Amino acid sequence: MSNNNYAFLANGGEMGKLTRAKDWSQTAVGAVESWPQSLRTTIGILLNSKFPMFLFWGPDHICFYNDAYRPSLGNDGKHPAILGEKGADYWPEIWDFIKPLIDQVLNKGEATWHEDQLLPIYRNGKMEDVYWTFSYSPVNDENGKTAGVLVICNETTKQVITRKNLEESEKRFRNTVKQLPLGICILKGADLVVEMANSTYLHIIDKEEKDILNKPIFESVPEAKETTYSLLKNVFETGVPYYTDELAVTLNRYNKKELGYFNLVFYPLKEENAEITGVIVISYEVTEEVKARHLLSESEKAFRNIVMESPIAMAIFRGKEYTIEMANLTMMHDIWQREEKDCIGKPLLEVFPELINQKYPELLNEVLSNGKTIRENESVAYVDIKGKLKKFYLDYEYTTLYEKNGKASGIMCTVYDVTSKVKARKKVETAEERARLAIEIGEIATWDLDLRTRKLIYSDNILDLFGFQKNTKIVHQDIRDRILPDDEHIVVAALAEALKNSIYKYEARILKLDNTIGWIKVHGKVFFDENNEPTKMLGTVMDFTDERDIQQILFKSEKKFRLLADSMPHLI
C-alpha cells in the first residue's frame, strides 16, 4: 500500500516527502499500516509543525523529525540517513547524555527541560559545539503507556555565542578599568551599593574588594559621607554630572584618620532607556601635590602658626645635607628634647650623628632624589637624649617639598611617637607568652565550655592528661565519662556551687583509657549573660596524681607511726 494514501503523512515539506517515500517495512516500527494511532497522530503533528521537533519511538528509539528541525543537522551529517533509524546508532556523540533523559521519560513519564545546554554533534562533516534549549515529553500509546519521547527544541548556538562574546567584552572592559591609574567605582541604586571598584580606588580608601563589594559605599567609608553624600545623591536624582578639583575628604586609612584631596567626577550611569541606575565615580588623588603647594604658597608666618603649635611633631629639612630649617615645639621638646639654638640651621646628621648608621639617611636621600613619599609605622629609632641612646617607636612620613620650578628642594617630616603604645602592647604579648609557658611547664591544660551548646575548646595537652591518643577529637561528655562514679557527686556539687558564686573547683579521680587511675584538680569560672543565665565556663585542669600519692604515703606512714607510738609503754 502506498504511503501517499495516509492523511497524517500529507504535507510536511521535505521531511513529509522523505517519510512518505521511505520503506518502513524494513525498519523496527514496521509498515505504516501497522503503526498505532498514537504514532500516526504524533507524526502528523510533528510534520506539520513549524517549530523544531524530533521523536524517539519505541524500545529502539526510532528517529523522526520535521523540516523545522532539519537545519540543526547541518550538511554532510546525519540527514537524511537518520530517519527511521535507531537513536543509539546515529547519536553516539551525545547518547551518554540523552539516553538517561529518554529513559526518565519512558520509565517514569516525567518531562525534562534544559536551557542553553551544550551538546556537541556531528554535522557539516565535523564535530560542532551546539547549544540547545529543549524539552523531552512522553507520548502515550492507546493503552496509556509511554511509547515515545517527543523532543521540542530550539537551537540557541548563535544566541549563546553572542551572549558569551558580550560577557567576554564586558570582562575585558572591567579588566581594563581595574588597571587604570584613576580610581573608578560604580555605585548602583539609591543606596549607592558598590558594584565594582578598581585597584586604584581600593588603594585610595585602603580597603579590600571583598569588604566593600555589594554594600552601600558609606558602610565602608562613613567618614566621607558628610562631604560627598549630597553630591552623589544629586547626581543620581537629577542626572547632572558633578566635576570638582581638590575636594577635601577625610578618610580613615592606613591606621589613621587623614585629610585627602581629590579631583573628582560623579557621572550618572544610565540604561538604554535613559533610566538612571547608579553613579560612576572617577577619582584622582592629589593630596601630596596639594600639601606641597600649600606649604610653599603660605607665608612663613602663617606656616609657623599652623605648624609650630601642632601636636604632631613636624620638621623641614633642606638640601642634600638635610639642614634643619624648621622644627615645631612637639618635635623639639617631645622627640628631640633639644633647644632650638642647638638644631635650627644645622645639618640633621650633625645634630644627630647616631642616625648615620641607621636607615633614615638612606630613606631621606630616596625621598629627595626620587620625589617619593615614604611612610612607616612603629619604626625603631635610637636618639641621643641627654647623652643616652633612647629607643623610640615612631609612625613617620617623609614628603618631598618642591620649588615653583618643580625642583625638589627639601623634605617635610611628620612624626607620631607611639613608643608608649608599642611598649604596652609588647608587655601584653610578653605576659601572654609567659602565661603560655607557665601552662606548658606546669602541665596545665586549658578548656572553654559553651554551656548552651556544650561545645568544648581545649588545649592539646588535655588529651594526654586523660589518656586519649594525640589528635583525637573529643567532646565534653568524653571527659565527664572519665570521672570515677564514686567521685561524680563531687563534680555535681562543684557545678551547683559555681552556678551560685561563679567559682568552679574540685579534686576528683579519673579512669584513664589505659585503666590507670589518676587525680585531677580543676579550677574555673562561670560567665553569665545580661539575664544572669550561665553561658560559658573557662578554666584549667591539671594532673596531680603524683602529689596525691605522696600525700597518701605520708598519711599512711604517719598513721603507722602513731599506732606504734601508742603501743609502746610509757616511761615515767
Side-chain angles (χ1 to χ4, degrees), residues 354-419:
E354 63 272 20
L355 296 178
I356 293 175
N357 293 322
Q358 299 182 51
K359 63 183 176 181
Y360 301 101
E362 183 178 345
L363 296 176
L364 289 167
N365 180 64
E366 189 174 352
V367 173
L368 192 61
S369 301
N370 301 327
K372 66 185 295 185
T373 297
I374 293 180
R375 302 181 184 90
E376 192 173 354
N377 294 328
E378 298 184 6
S379 178
V380 176
Y382 292 91
V383 182
D384 188 334
I385 304 297
K386 298 177 182 179
K388 293 184 178 181
L389 280 181
K390 182 178 179 181
K391 184 178 182 180
F392 286 88
Y393 291 93
L394 305 173
D395 291 350
Y396 72 88
E397 176 177 309
Y398 292 158
T399 305
T400 309
L401 299 179
Y402 297 90
E403 299 296 332
K404 290 183 179 180
N405 60 8
K407 182 180 179 181
S409 64
I411 297 171
M412 178 71 183
C413 171
T414 58
V415 178
Y416 296 86
D417 183 1
V418 293
T419 304

Side-chain angles (χ1 to χ4, degrees), residues 299-317:
S299 67
E300 183 69 17
K301 181 178 179 180
F303 177 76
R304 286 185 176 275
N305 287 339
I306 294 172
V307 174
M308 294 303 291
E309 301 299 328
S310 172
I312 302 171
M314 305 173 71
I316 291 178
F317 311 134

Side-chain angles (χ1 to χ4, degrees), residues 79-96:
H79 176 77
I82 191 174
L83 179 66
E85 300 301 326
K86 298 178 180 180
D89 294 340
Y90 277 81
W91 292 111
E93 65 272 34
I94 60 171
W95 195 247
D96 61 338

Side-chain angles (χ1 to χ4, degrees), residues 169-186 194-204 207-214 280-283:
S169 176
E170 182 178 356
K171 183 179 179 181
R172 287 196 299 270
F173 167 74
R174 286 179 176 268
N175 187 49
T176 300
V177 168
K178 287 189 175 183
Q179 297 180 62
L180 288 175
L182 296 171
I184 297 179
C185 179
I186 297 177
V194 179
E195 183 181 79
M196 190 208 73
N198 70 354
S199 57
T200 304
Y201 186 85
L202 294 171
H203 176 73
I204 287 174
K207 294 288 188 294
E208 294 186 14
E209 187 177 54
K210 63 181 178 61
D211 297 326
I212 71 168
L213 215 58
N214 301 317
I280 301 173
V281 177
I282 304 173
S283 59

Side-chain angles (χ1 to χ4, degrees), residues 148-330:
V149 177
L150 180 63
V151 183
I152 300 177
C153 61
N154 186 32
E155 182 180 346
T156 59
T157 304
K158 290 183 179 179
Q159 298 92 311
V160 171
I161 291 175
T162 299
R163 185 174 68 245
K164 287 190 174 185
N165 288 339
L166 287 173
E167 291 172 352
E168 184 61 29
S169 176
E170 182 178 356
K171 183 179 179 181
R172 287 196 299 270
F173 167 74
R174 286 179 176 268
N175 187 49
T176 300
V177 168
K178 287 189 175 183
Q179 297 180 62
L180 288 175
L182 296 171
I184 297 179
C185 179
I186 297 177
L187 308 175
K188 296 301 290 288
D191 292 332
L192 304 174
V193 174
V194 179
E195 183 181 79
M196 190 208 73
N198 70 354
S199 57
T200 304
Y201 186 85
L202 294 171
H203 176 73
I204 287 174
I205 64 174
D206 187 27
K207 294 288 188 294
E208 294 186 14
E209 187 177 54
K210 63 181 178 61
D211 297 326
I212 71 168
L213 215 58
N214 301 317
K215 299 177 183 177
I217 184 62
F218 293 112
E219 284 188 11
S220 304
V221 286
E223 67 276 11
K225 185 173 184 178
E226 182 178 354
T227 306
T228 59
Y229 174 69
S230 60
L231 303 175
L232 291 165
K233 181 173 181 289
N234 186 64
V235 173
F236 180 77
E237 293 178 349
T238 67
V240 178
Y242 175 80
Y243 306 87
T244 188
D245 290 333
E246 299 181 6
L247 180 67
V249 181
T250 299
L251 291 173
N252 291 323
R253 56 182 183 174
Y254 305 109
N255 300 317
K256 61 182 178 181
K257 187 175 184 178
E258 64 178 10
L259 186 65
Y261 295 88
F262 302 90
N263 296 342
L264 292 170
V265 176
F266 296 158
Y267 203 85
L269 179 63
K270 297 181 180 180
E271 301 300 325
E272 292 182 1
N273 60 2
E275 178 189 2
I276 299 172
T277 58
V279 179
I280 301 173
V281 177
I282 304 173
S283 59
Y284 182 74
E285 183 166 6
V286 292
T287 302
E288 302 307 325
E289 295 88 335
V290 171
K291 284 182 178 178
R293 189 178 70 250
H294 284 180
L295 286 173
L296 290 171
S297 64
E298 289 176 306
S299 67
E300 183 69 17
K301 181 178 179 180
F303 177 76
R304 286 185 176 275
N305 287 339
I306 294 172
V307 174
M308 294 303 291
E309 301 299 328
S310 172
I312 302 171
M314 305 173 71
I316 291 178
F317 311 134
R318 291 288 181 184
K320 294 184 178 181
E321 292 189 348
Y322 317 119
T323 300
I324 301 172
E325 180 181 281
M326 184 281 302
N328 69 357
L329 296 176
T330 304

